[in-house]
């Protein structure tokens, strides 16, 4: 699994933690009324899209991919007319505050920035009792191979060497003071390995 797909899955898993009974899946970033009609069969639900907007090379040889993340949240009226609106706003606010400055448990992701959220207002959806909210943000994700780790560190059998063998060393010295006293002294200079 690539890093982008893994990152998207971590966002999906995070939303499932926020809303354990919610149907959460990925989508390709585009949706229309037919998609919403299909998704309303599983309300409340969320659909997560991760789209690359641009990438910049870094000194490590990796690409810093600026990802555009879009989460569509859908609910419908349940008990009274238009009660889906308040639940949709609540979901939008919860996901937006959760996403802000979140790395989503991915070690190569930067904290999410530029969180935006809105409710989509459309008369056809409103008449059908469907409420749609969208949360969008940008996350940087380092992808590719870090050439600095390969170039500047010692590797053995495909693993980075983090410990080296140590030796024991003792220094024996003869000391004479200005008062005419003398003696031998031994000092242990074995380096400490953390």
């Amino acid at each position: 699994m690539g890093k982008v797909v893994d990152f998207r899955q971590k966002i999906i898993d995070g939303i499932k933690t926020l809303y354990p009974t919610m149907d959460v899946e990925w989508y390709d970033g585009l949706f229309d009324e037919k998609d919403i009609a299909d998704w309303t069969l599983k309300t409340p639900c969320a659909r997560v899209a991760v789209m690359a907007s641009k990438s910049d090379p870094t000194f490590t040889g990796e690409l810093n991919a600026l990802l555009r993340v879009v989460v569509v949240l859908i609910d419908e009226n349940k008990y009274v007319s238009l009660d889906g609106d308040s639940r949709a706003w609540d979901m939008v606010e919860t996901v937006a505050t959760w996403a802000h400055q979140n790395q989503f448990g991915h070690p190569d992701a930067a904290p999410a920035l530029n969180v935006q959220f809105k409710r989509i207002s459309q008369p056809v959806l409103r008449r059908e009792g469907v409420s749609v909210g969208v949360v969008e943000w940008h996350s940087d994700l380092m992808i590719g191979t870090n050439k600095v780790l390969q170039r500047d560190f010692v590797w053995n059998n495909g693993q980075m060497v983090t410990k080296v063998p140590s030796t024991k060393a003792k220094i024996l010295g003869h000391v004479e003071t200005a008062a005419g006293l003398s003696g031998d002294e031994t000092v242990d200079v074995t380096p400490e390995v953390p």
Side-chain angles (χ1 to χ4, degrees), residues 24 26 36 43 55 73 76 85 97 117 164 171 186:
V24 185
W26 69 273
I36 292 176
T43 57
S55 62
L73 300 149
E76 60 185 335
D85 178 69
T97 54
F117 54 92
V164 294
I171 298 175
T186 303

Side-chain angles (χ1 to χ4, degrees), residues 41-58:
L41 298 174
K42 301 176 181 181
T43 57
C45 68
R47 296 297 179 258
V48 178
V50 175
M51 299 167 284
S53 57
K54 70 174 188 167
S55 62
D56 295 318
T58 65

Side-chain angles (χ1 to χ4, degrees), residues 110-125:
L113 296 174
N114 303 325
V115 178
Q116 301 173 19
F117 54 92
K118 62 184 172 184
R119 278 266 292 109
I120 295 178
S121 299
Q122 189 183 50
V124 173
L125 295 175

